[in-house]
mmCIF file of all heavy atoms in Angstrom:
data_model
loop_
_atom_site.group_PDB
_atom_site.id
_atom_site.type_symbol
_atom_site.label_atom_id
_atom_site.label_comp_id
_atom_site.label_asym_id
_atom_site.label_seq_id
_atom_site.Cartn_x
_atom_site.Cartn_y
_atom_site.Cartn_z
ATOM 1 N N SER I 120 43.608 -49.806 39.238
ATOM 2 C CA SER I 120 42.743 -48.713 38.813
ATOM 3 C C SER I 120 42.055 -49.046 37.485
ATOM 4 O O SER I 120 40.851 -48.841 37.328
ATOM 5 C CB SER I 120 43.562 -47.433 38.680
ATOM 6 O OG SER I 120 42.734 -46.368 38.279
ATOM 7 N N ALA I 121 42.798 -49.588 36.544
ATOM 8 C CA ALA I 121 42.249 -49.910 35.222
ATOM 9 C C ALA I 121 41.186 -51.002 35.301
ATOM 10 O O ALA I 121 40.217 -50.985 34.540
ATOM 11 C CB ALA I 121 43.362 -50.339 34.278
ATOM 12 N N LEU I 122 41.357 -51.958 36.213
ATOM 13 C CA LEU I 122 40.431 -53.081 36.289
ATOM 14 C C LEU I 122 39.260 -52.837 37.223
ATOM 15 O O LEU I 122 38.330 -53.636 37.277
ATOM 16 C CB LEU I 122 41.180 -54.346 36.712
ATOM 17 C CG LEU I 122 42.281 -54.798 35.764
ATOM 18 C CD1 LEU I 122 42.881 -56.101 36.238
ATOM 19 C CD2 LEU I 122 41.787 -54.917 34.339
ATOM 20 N N GLY I 123 39.298 -51.746 37.952
ATOM 21 C CA GLY I 123 38.226 -51.433 38.887
ATOM 22 C C GLY I 123 36.897 -51.183 38.182
ATOM 23 O O GLY I 123 36.855 -50.940 36.971
ATOM 24 N N PRO I 124 35.806 -51.227 38.932
ATOM 25 C CA PRO I 124 34.478 -51.113 38.341
ATOM 26 C C PRO I 124 34.194 -49.752 37.702
ATOM 27 O O PRO I 124 33.328 -49.635 36.855
ATOM 28 C CB PRO I 124 33.536 -51.363 39.529
ATOM 29 C CG PRO I 124 34.347 -51.048 40.729
ATOM 30 C CD PRO I 124 35.771 -51.380 40.375
ATOM 31 N N ASP I 125 34.944 -48.727 38.089
ATOM 32 C CA ASP I 125 34.698 -47.391 37.551
ATOM 33 C C ASP I 125 35.432 -47.114 36.242
ATOM 34 O O ASP I 125 35.245 -46.060 35.651
ATOM 35 C CB ASP I 125 35.115 -46.326 38.581
ATOM 36 C CG ASP I 125 34.317 -46.457 39.866
ATOM 37 O OD1 ASP I 125 33.182 -46.951 39.799
ATOM 38 O OD2 ASP I 125 34.852 -46.089 40.914
ATOM 39 N N ASN I 126 36.271 -48.029 35.805
ATOM 40 C CA ASN I 126 37.093 -47.810 34.609
ATOM 41 C C ASN I 126 36.813 -48.854 33.551
ATOM 42 O O ASN I 126 37.591 -49.766 33.355
ATOM 43 C CB ASN I 126 38.587 -47.840 34.958
ATOM 44 C CG ASN I 126 39.091 -46.479 35.364
ATOM 45 O OD1 ASN I 126 38.467 -45.482 35.073
ATOM 46 N ND2 ASN I 126 40.211 -46.441 36.032
ATOM 47 N N SER I 127 35.743 -48.707 32.842
ATOM 48 C CA SER I 127 35.422 -49.664 31.786
ATOM 49 C C SER I 127 36.118 -49.250 30.492
ATOM 50 O O SER I 127 35.629 -48.389 29.765
ATOM 51 C CB SER I 127 33.911 -49.719 31.585
ATOM 52 O OG SER I 127 33.599 -50.689 30.622
ATOM 53 N N GLY I 128 37.287 -49.821 30.253
ATOM 54 C CA GLY I 128 38.022 -49.542 29.022
ATOM 55 C C GLY I 128 38.905 -48.312 29.060
ATOM 56 O O GLY I 128 39.519 -47.965 28.072
ATOM 57 N N THR I 129 38.986 -47.640 30.222
ATOM 58 C CA THR I 129 39.845 -46.470 30.348
ATOM 59 C C THR I 129 41.306 -46.912 30.429
ATOM 60 O O THR I 129 41.628 -47.872 31.129
ATOM 61 C CB THR I 129 39.496 -45.668 31.614
ATOM 62 O OG1 THR I 129 38.132 -45.286 31.538
ATOM 63 C CG2 THR I 129 40.362 -44.441 31.759
ATOM 64 N N THR I 130 42.188 -46.227 29.726
ATOM 65 C CA THR I 130 43.619 -46.524 29.788
ATOM 66 C C THR I 130 44.224 -45.785 30.976
ATOM 67 O O THR I 130 44.040 -44.578 31.116
ATOM 68 C CB THR I 130 44.312 -46.095 28.488
ATOM 69 O OG1 THR I 130 43.733 -46.831 27.398
ATOM 70 C CG2 THR I 130 45.810 -46.361 28.537
ATOM 71 N N VAL I 131 44.929 -46.530 31.837
ATOM 72 C CA VAL I 131 45.569 -45.950 33.020
ATOM 73 C C VAL I 131 47.082 -46.065 32.844
ATOM 74 O O VAL I 131 47.612 -47.157 32.651
ATOM 75 C CB VAL I 131 45.114 -46.670 34.317
ATOM 76 C CG1 VAL I 131 45.814 -46.077 35.529
ATOM 77 C CG2 VAL I 131 43.605 -46.572 34.466
ATOM 78 N N LEU I 132 47.776 -44.926 32.895
ATOM 79 C CA LEU I 132 49.229 -44.863 32.677
ATOM 80 C C LEU I 132 50.001 -45.023 33.983
ATOM 81 O O LEU I 132 49.497 -44.693 35.060
ATOM 82 C CB LEU I 132 49.602 -43.513 32.053
ATOM 83 C CG LEU I 132 48.882 -43.138 30.764
ATOM 84 C CD1 LEU I 132 49.256 -41.722 30.354
ATOM 85 C CD2 LEU I 132 49.198 -44.123 29.666
ATOM 86 N N TRP I 133 51.251 -45.513 33.873
ATOM 87 C CA TRP I 133 52.145 -45.586 35.029
ATOM 88 C C TRP I 133 53.570 -45.288 34.571
ATOM 89 O O TRP I 133 53.912 -45.479 33.409
ATOM 90 C CB TRP I 133 52.083 -46.942 35.737
ATOM 91 C CG TRP I 133 52.502 -48.104 34.878
ATOM 92 C CD1 TRP I 133 51.705 -48.844 34.050
ATOM 93 C CD2 TRP I 133 53.817 -48.651 34.750
ATOM 94 N NE1 TRP I 133 52.445 -49.810 33.419
ATOM 95 C CE2 TRP I 133 53.743 -49.707 33.830
ATOM 96 C CE3 TRP I 133 55.051 -48.352 35.316
ATOM 97 C CZ2 TRP I 133 54.854 -50.473 33.466
ATOM 98 C CZ3 TRP I 133 56.156 -49.109 34.951
ATOM 99 C CH2 TRP I 133 56.043 -50.156 34.046
ATOM 100 N N ASN I 134 54.394 -44.784 35.494
ATOM 101 C CA ASN I 134 55.817 -44.524 35.254
ATOM 102 C C ASN I 134 56.606 -45.102 36.404
ATOM 103 O O ASN I 134 56.331 -44.780 37.560
ATOM 104 C CB ASN I 134 56.094 -43.016 35.174
ATOM 105 C CG ASN I 134 55.584 -42.418 33.891
ATOM 106 O OD1 ASN I 134 56.048 -42.783 32.817
ATOM 107 N ND2 ASN I 134 54.617 -41.521 33.989
ATOM 108 N N GLY I 135 57.607 -45.945 36.088
ATOM 109 C CA GLY I 135 58.451 -46.542 37.109
ATOM 110 C C GLY I 135 59.698 -45.716 37.360
ATOM 111 O O GLY I 135 60.099 -44.906 36.532
ATOM 112 N N LYS I 136 60.317 -45.953 38.506
ATOM 113 C CA LYS I 136 61.529 -45.204 38.871
ATOM 114 C C LYS I 136 62.730 -45.563 38.008
ATOM 115 O O LYS I 136 63.677 -44.815 37.898
ATOM 116 C CB LYS I 136 61.839 -45.443 40.344
ATOM 117 C CG LYS I 136 60.790 -44.834 41.255
ATOM 118 C CD LYS I 136 61.154 -45.006 42.711
ATOM 119 C CE LYS I 136 60.182 -44.247 43.570
ATOM 120 N NZ LYS I 136 59.172 -45.061 44.181
ATOM 121 N N SER I 137 62.701 -46.749 37.360
ATOM 122 C CA SER I 137 63.842 -47.175 36.540
ATOM 123 C C SER I 137 63.779 -46.608 35.127
ATOM 124 O O SER I 137 64.652 -46.866 34.315
ATOM 125 C CB SER I 137 63.869 -48.704 36.456
ATOM 126 O OG SER I 137 62.796 -49.152 35.622
ATOM 127 N N GLY I 138 62.726 -45.846 34.832
ATOM 128 C CA GLY I 138 62.545 -45.334 33.479
ATOM 129 C C GLY I 138 61.546 -46.151 32.678
ATOM 130 O O GLY I 138 61.165 -45.779 31.577
ATOM 131 N N SER I 139 61.111 -47.275 33.231
ATOM 132 C CA SER I 139 60.076 -48.072 32.572
ATOM 133 C C SER I 139 58.746 -47.352 32.708
ATOM 134 O O SER I 139 58.520 -46.609 33.659
ATOM 135 C CB SER I 139 59.965 -49.451 33.219
ATOM 136 O OG SER I 139 61.162 -50.163 33.047
ATOM 137 N N LYS I 140 57.873 -47.568 31.740
ATOM 138 C CA LYS I 140 56.551 -46.963 31.793
ATOM 139 C C LYS I 140 55.582 -47.802 30.994
ATOM 140 O O LYS I 140 55.989 -48.696 30.237
ATOM 141 C CB LYS I 140 56.577 -45.532 31.282
ATOM 142 C CG LYS I 140 57.044 -45.407 29.842
ATOM 143 C CD LYS I 140 57.162 -43.955 29.457
ATOM 144 C CE LYS I 140 57.731 -43.826 28.045
ATOM 145 N NZ LYS I 140 57.873 -42.438 27.653
ATOM 146 N N GLY I 141 54.302 -47.522 31.170
ATOM 147 C CA GLY I 141 53.328 -48.289 30.426
ATOM 148 C C GLY I 141 51.913 -47.891 30.759
ATOM 149 O O GLY I 141 51.662 -46.850 31.363
ATOM 150 N N SER I 142 50.993 -48.756 30.337
ATOM 151 C CA SER I 142 49.580 -48.507 30.587
ATOM 152 C C SER I 142 48.830 -49.827 30.668
ATOM 153 O O SER I 142 49.300 -50.856 30.177
ATOM 154 C CB SER I 142 48.987 -47.643 29.474
ATOM 155 O OG SER I 142 49.019 -48.340 28.246
ATOM 156 N N PHE I 143 47.672 -49.782 31.307
ATOM 157 C CA PHE I 143 46.767 -50.926 31.400
ATOM 158 C C PHE I 143 45.387 -50.479 30.941
ATOM 159 O O PHE I 143 44.988 -49.336 31.187
ATOM 160 C CB PHE I 143 46.640 -51.427 32.847
ATOM 161 C CG PHE I 143 47.859 -52.129 33.347
ATOM 162 C CD1 PHE I 143 48.756 -51.473 34.170
ATOM 163 C CD2 PHE I 143 48.106 -53.447 33.008
ATOM 164 C CE1 PHE I 143 49.879 -52.113 34.651
ATOM 165 C CE2 PHE I 143 49.236 -54.104 33.481
ATOM 166 C CZ PHE I 143 50.119 -53.433 34.298
ATOM 167 N N ARG I 144 44.665 -51.413 30.324
ATOM 168 C CA ARG I 144 43.284 -51.166 29.917
ATOM 169 C C ARG I 144 42.509 -52.466 30.068
ATOM 170 O O ARG I 144 42.969 -53.524 29.634
ATOM 171 C CB ARG I 144 43.253 -50.703 28.460
ATOM 172 C CG ARG I 144 41.873 -50.331 27.951
ATOM 173 C CD ARG I 144 41.956 -49.671 26.582
ATOM 174 N NE ARG I 144 42.592 -50.513 25.589
ATOM 175 C CZ ARG I 144 41.942 -51.362 24.797
ATOM 176 N NH1 ARG I 144 40.641 -51.498 24.878
ATOM 177 N NH2 ARG I 144 42.604 -52.069 23.903
ATOM 178 N N ALA I 145 41.353 -52.388 30.714
ATOM 179 C CA ALA I 145 40.504 -53.571 30.876
ATOM 180 C C ALA I 145 39.877 -53.931 29.529
ATOM 181 O O ALA I 145 39.550 -53.058 28.729
ATOM 182 C CB ALA I 145 39.419 -53.301 31.902
ATOM 183 N N LEU I 146 39.724 -55.230 29.295
ATOM 184 C CA LEU I 146 39.076 -55.733 28.089
ATOM 185 C C LEU I 146 37.848 -56.542 28.512
ATOM 186 O O LEU I 146 37.968 -57.446 29.334
ATOM 187 C CB LEU I 146 40.025 -56.628 27.290
ATOM 188 C CG LEU I 146 41.335 -56.003 26.843
ATOM 189 C CD1 LEU I 146 42.220 -57.066 26.200
ATOM 190 C CD2 LEU I 146 41.093 -54.859 25.876
ATOM 191 N N GLY I 147 36.705 -56.236 27.980
ATOM 192 C CA GLY I 147 35.514 -57.023 28.277
ATOM 193 C C GLY I 147 34.998 -56.799 29.684
ATOM 194 O O GLY I 147 35.403 -55.878 30.385
ATOM 195 N N ILE I 148 34.093 -57.687 30.096
ATOM 196 C CA ILE I 148 33.462 -57.561 31.404
ATOM 197 C C ILE I 148 34.123 -58.501 32.414
ATOM 198 O O ILE I 148 34.795 -59.459 32.026
ATOM 199 C CB ILE I 148 31.947 -57.845 31.322
ATOM 200 C CG1 ILE I 148 31.704 -59.282 30.832
ATOM 201 C CG2 ILE I 148 31.239 -56.834 30.436
ATOM 202 C CD1 ILE I 148 30.265 -59.735 30.945
ATOM 203 N N ALA I 149 33.927 -58.202 33.666
ATOM 204 C CA ALA I 149 34.473 -59.041 34.741
ATOM 205 C C ALA I 149 33.739 -60.376 34.775
ATOM 206 O O ALA I 149 32.586 -60.480 34.368
ATOM 207 C CB ALA I 149 34.339 -58.320 36.077
ATOM 208 N N PHE I 150 34.445 -61.414 35.261
ATOM 209 C CA PHE I 150 33.859 -62.750 35.387
ATOM 210 C C PHE I 150 34.441 -63.425 36.620
ATOM 211 O O PHE I 150 35.461 -62.988 37.140
ATOM 212 C CB PHE I 150 34.122 -63.585 34.118
ATOM 213 C CG PHE I 150 35.580 -63.741 33.789
ATOM 214 C CD1 PHE I 150 36.297 -64.842 34.247
ATOM 215 C CD2 PHE I 150 36.248 -62.784 33.030
ATOM 216 C CE1 PHE I 150 37.649 -64.993 33.961
ATOM 217 C CE2 PHE I 150 37.603 -62.924 32.726
ATOM 218 C CZ PHE I 150 38.295 -64.031 33.190
ATOM 219 N N MET I 151 33.790 -64.483 37.075
ATOM 220 C CA MET I 151 34.254 -65.209 38.255
ATOM 221 C C MET I 151 35.097 -66.412 37.834
ATOM 222 O O MET I 151 34.770 -67.100 36.875
ATOM 223 C CB MET I 151 33.074 -65.695 39.091
ATOM 224 C CG MET I 151 32.228 -64.562 39.674
ATOM 225 S SD MET I 151 33.130 -63.424 40.739
ATOM 226 C CE MET I 151 33.438 -64.455 42.159
ATOM 227 N N ARG I 152 36.205 -66.624 38.561
ATOM 228 C CA ARG I 152 37.064 -67.792 38.351
ATOM 229 C C ARG I 152 37.530 -68.268 39.721
ATOM 230 O O ARG I 152 38.231 -67.535 40.412
ATOM 231 C CB ARG I 152 38.266 -67.445 37.472
ATOM 232 C CG ARG I 152 39.196 -68.652 37.257
ATOM 233 C CD ARG I 152 40.522 -68.277 36.634
ATOM 234 N NE ARG I 152 40.378 -67.984 35.221
ATOM 235 C CZ ARG I 152 41.379 -67.580 34.447
ATOM 236 N NH1 ARG I 152 42.575 -67.390 34.962
ATOM 237 N NH2 ARG I 152 41.188 -67.342 33.173
ATOM 238 N N ASP I 153 37.173 -69.469 40.082
ATOM 239 C CA ASP I 153 37.580 -70.045 41.375
ATOM 240 C C ASP I 153 37.282 -69.125 42.552
ATOM 241 O O ASP I 153 38.084 -68.993 43.472
ATOM 242 C CB ASP I 153 39.075 -70.408 41.349
ATOM 243 C CG ASP I 153 39.407 -71.445 40.293
ATOM 244 O OD1 ASP I 153 38.546 -72.298 40.008
ATOM 245 O OD2 ASP I 153 40.519 -71.390 39.740
ATOM 246 N N GLY I 154 36.143 -68.449 42.506
ATOM 247 C CA GLY I 154 35.738 -67.586 43.608
ATOM 248 C C GLY I 154 36.324 -66.187 43.576
ATOM 249 O O GLY I 154 36.020 -65.375 44.449
ATOM 250 N N ASP I 155 37.182 -65.889 42.607
ATOM 251 C CA ASP I 155 37.773 -64.554 42.491
ATOM 252 C C ASP I 155 37.137 -63.810 41.321
ATOM 253 O O ASP I 155 36.762 -64.415 40.313
ATOM 254 C CB ASP I 155 39.280 -64.638 42.233
ATOM 255 C CG ASP I 155 40.060 -65.133 43.435
ATOM 256 O OD1 ASP I 155 39.560 -65.023 44.569
ATOM 257 O OD2 ASP I 155 41.183 -65.629 43.225
ATOM 258 N N LEU I 156 37.041 -62.498 41.449
ATOM 259 C CA LEU I 156 36.581 -61.645 40.367
ATOM 260 C C LEU I 156 37.753 -61.426 39.419
ATOM 261 O O LEU I 156 38.844 -61.040 39.859
ATOM 262 C CB LEU I 156 36.106 -60.302 40.924
ATOM 263 C CG LEU I 156 35.582 -59.307 39.896
ATOM 264 C CD1 LEU I 156 34.254 -59.810 39.322
ATOM 265 C CD2 LEU I 156 35.397 -57.942 40.535
ATOM 266 N N CYS I 157 37.557 -61.668 38.125
ATOM 267 C CA CYS I 157 38.649 -61.575 37.155
ATOM 268 C C CYS I 157 38.263 -60.680 35.981
ATOM 269 O O CYS I 157 37.084 -60.507 35.688
ATOM 270 C CB CYS I 157 39.002 -62.963 36.617
ATOM 271 S SG CYS I 157 39.538 -64.122 37.898
ATOM 272 N N ARG I 158 39.272 -60.145 35.314
ATOM 273 C CA ARG I 158 39.077 -59.342 34.109
ATOM 274 C C ARG I 158 40.259 -59.538 33.184
ATOM 275 O O ARG I 158 41.396 -59.671 33.620
ATOM 276 C CB ARG I 158 39.007 -57.859 34.447
ATOM 277 C CG ARG I 158 37.600 -57.389 34.730
ATOM 278 C CD ARG I 158 37.536 -55.918 34.859
ATOM 279 N NE ARG I 158 36.876 -55.344 33.701
ATOM 280 C CZ ARG I 158 36.429 -54.110 33.656
ATOM 281 N NH1 ARG I 158 36.579 -53.317 34.691
ATOM 282 N NH2 ARG I 158 35.837 -53.644 32.589
ATOM 283 N N ALA I 159 39.948 -59.536 31.894
ATOM 284 C CA ALA I 159 41.014 -59.538 30.887
ATOM 285 C C ALA I 159 41.557 -58.115 30.782
ATOM 286 O O ALA I 159 40.846 -57.136 31.046
ATOM 287 C CB ALA I 159 40.465 -60.007 29.546
ATOM 288 N N PHE I 160 42.838 -57.993 30.404
ATOM 289 C CA PHE I 160 43.454 -56.677 30.276
ATOM 290 C C PHE I 160 44.448 -56.666 29.127
ATOM 291 O O PHE I 160 44.884 -57.710 28.642
ATOM 292 C CB PHE I 160 44.162 -56.266 31.574
ATOM 293 C CG PHE I 160 45.395 -57.083 31.866
ATOM 294 C CD1 PHE I 160 46.637 -56.720 31.354
ATOM 295 C CD2 PHE I 160 45.309 -58.219 32.645
ATOM 296 C CE1 PHE I 160 47.769 -57.488 31.622
ATOM 297 C CE2 PHE I 160 46.429 -58.993 32.919
ATOM 298 C CZ PHE I 160 47.658 -58.617 32.397
#
Side-chain angles (χ1 to χ4, degrees):
S120 180
L122 299 184
D125 299 333
N126 272 341
S127 183
T129 302
T130 299
V131 179
L132 305 174
W133 62 272
N134 287 297
K136 293 183 173 101
S137 72
S139 297
K140 60 185 176 181
S142 65
F143 288 101
R144 184 171 58 91
L146 302 174
I148 61 170
F150 58 93
M151 296 301 290
R152 179 192 285 177
D153 299 328
D155 290 338
L156 181 69
C157 300
R158 270 188 108 165
F160 69 87

